[in-house]
């Protein structure tokens, strides 16, 4: 009997030692995981603090430079409009262009404030994304109409030419619903950049913005019927759209760029509705 107990004890001692080693290993592993988590949180807190400080610095710089300049432009355009003689022949176009310039400056002044907050609150506080896009396109049409009314000018001493002015269209489909402000802001910025790029570079006759409120997601698209991206060049994203794309992907959306040489280009973004 004693011999059996000694033999059993000899078997249990290594097992107990092995169990203690496993427990210690697990304890050390949990410590490493916890230490890694705390280090990650500290690093993220440090990065967030840096972002906050940078935003404060940018807000101060924008207020002292761009915002002040835009505020001066809005005051001066208003003053010039009031100084123009009422009913004077030949001044109707000048008044219209001055009014458009004033509206652009006012909107840009609001956007400066939006930049410091990271969202387009000044444009989205009203009727949401659809209304904001419609207002943006309305203002863009007025600005382009002023460009189209300009006389033909020579390009670097060449033959006189009139800048191409495409038609801007908006298609809205589905039951519109509000999305988080950060999402609507990212989509609005993509639309603005997409329209600006198409107007500058596509050479097309029509630039169309589409907002499709589908059953499970929002799809926004900017397409044109212009020259498209030249053959041999991969569809890419310019500096403005690159920032919009980064914001969109960071919010869980998807952005795509498609082009057919001679057949136009399209930039699209999709966001699933929050559960």
């Amino acid at each position: 009997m004693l011999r059996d107990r000694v033999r059993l004890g000899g078997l249990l001692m290594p097992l107990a030692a092995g169990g203690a080693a496993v427990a210690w290993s697990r304890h050390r592993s949990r410590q490493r995981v916890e230490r890694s988590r705390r280090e990650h949180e500290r690093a993220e807190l440090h990065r967030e603090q840096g972002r906050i400080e940078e935003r404060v610095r940018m807000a101060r710089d924008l207020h002292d430079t761009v915002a002040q300049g835009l505020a001066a432009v809005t005051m001066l355009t208003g003053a010039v409009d009031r100084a123009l003689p009422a009913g004077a022949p030949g001044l109707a176009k000048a008044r219209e262009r001055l009014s458009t310039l004033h509206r652009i400056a006012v909107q840009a002044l609001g956007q400066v404030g939006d930049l410091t907050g990271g969202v387009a609150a000044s444009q989205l506080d009203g009727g949401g994304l659809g209304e904001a896009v419609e207002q943006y396109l309305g203002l863009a049409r007025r600005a382009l109409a002023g460009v189209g009314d300009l006389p033909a000018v020579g390009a670097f001493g060449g033959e006189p030419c009139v800048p191409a002015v495409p038609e801007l269209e908006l298609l809205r489909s589905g039951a519109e619903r509000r999305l988080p402000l950060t999402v609507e802001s990212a989509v609005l910025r993509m639309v603005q950049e997409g329209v600006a790029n198409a107007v500058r570079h596509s050479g097309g006759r029509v630039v169309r913005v589409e907002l499709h409120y589908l059953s499970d997601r929002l799809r926004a698209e900017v397409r044109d019927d212009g020259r498209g991206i030249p053959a041999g060049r991969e569809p890419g994203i310019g500096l403005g759209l690159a920032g919009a794309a980064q914001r969109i992907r960071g919010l869980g959306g998807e952005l795509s760029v498609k082009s057919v040489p001679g057949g136009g280009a399209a930039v699209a973004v999709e966001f699933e509705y929050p559960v």
Side-chain angles (χ1 to χ4, degrees), residues 250-272:
L251 293 169
E254 296 182 3
L255 183 138
S256 61
V257 181
K258 297 180 180 179
S259 175
V260 176
V267 181
V269 61
E270 290 190 356
F271 275 101
E272 293 184 356

Side-chain angles (χ1 to χ4, degrees), residues 70-266:
L70 288 172
V73 170
T74 59
M75 289 188 293
L76 287 172
T77 51
V80 172
D81 182 62
R82 291 189 296 272
L84 290 176
L91 291 181
K93 285 291 183 183
R95 283 186 179 277
E96 185 177 340
R97 291 171 184 164
L98 193 62
S99 175
T100 299
L101 176 61
H102 181 79
R103 287 175 177 270
I104 291 173
V106 169
Q107 185 182 78
L109 188 58
Q111 289 173 340
V112 169
D114 294 339
L115 286 173
T116 63
V119 292
S122 67
Q123 294 172 269
L124 293 166
D125 275 347
L129 178 63
E131 292 300 317
V133 171
E134 191 162 345
Q135 291 177 11
Y136 164 72
L137 290 179
L139 185 58
R141 289 188 191 101
R142 294 182 63 177
L144 288 174
V147 173
D149 290 338
L150 293 175
V153 295
F156 301 105
E159 293 296 321
C161 63
V162 177
V165 180
E167 293 290 330
L168 302 182
E169 299 179 349
L170 174 61
L171 172 64
R172 298 161 70 174
S173 69
E176 299 190 16
R177 56 184 291 182
R178 294 300 303 264
L179 281 81
L181 185 60
T182 51
V183 171
E184 290 189 342
S185 178
V187 175
L188 178 60
R189 291 289 179 253
M190 184 281 293
V191 168
Q192 292 172 327
E193 288 293 339
V195 170
N197 285 347
V199 169
R200 291 191 194 104
H201 306 301
S202 74
R205 295 173 299 173
V206 177
V207 177
R208 185 170 66 190
V209 178
E210 300 180 4
L211 296 177
H212 300 291
Y213 291 84
L214 307 174
S215 60
D216 60 341
R217 67 190 186 280
L218 164 69
R219 177 177 176 84
E221 188 168 351
V222 178
R223 57 171 62 245
D224 64 72
D225 60 353
R227 63 178 63 93
I229 298 174
R233 183 183 302 175
E234 290 294 324
I237 297 177
L239 181 60
L241 273 180
Q246 184 178 18
R247 189 180 303 116
I248 286 165
R249 289 166 183 150
L251 293 169
E254 296 182 3
L255 183 138
S256 61
V257 181
K258 297 180 180 179
S259 175
V260 176

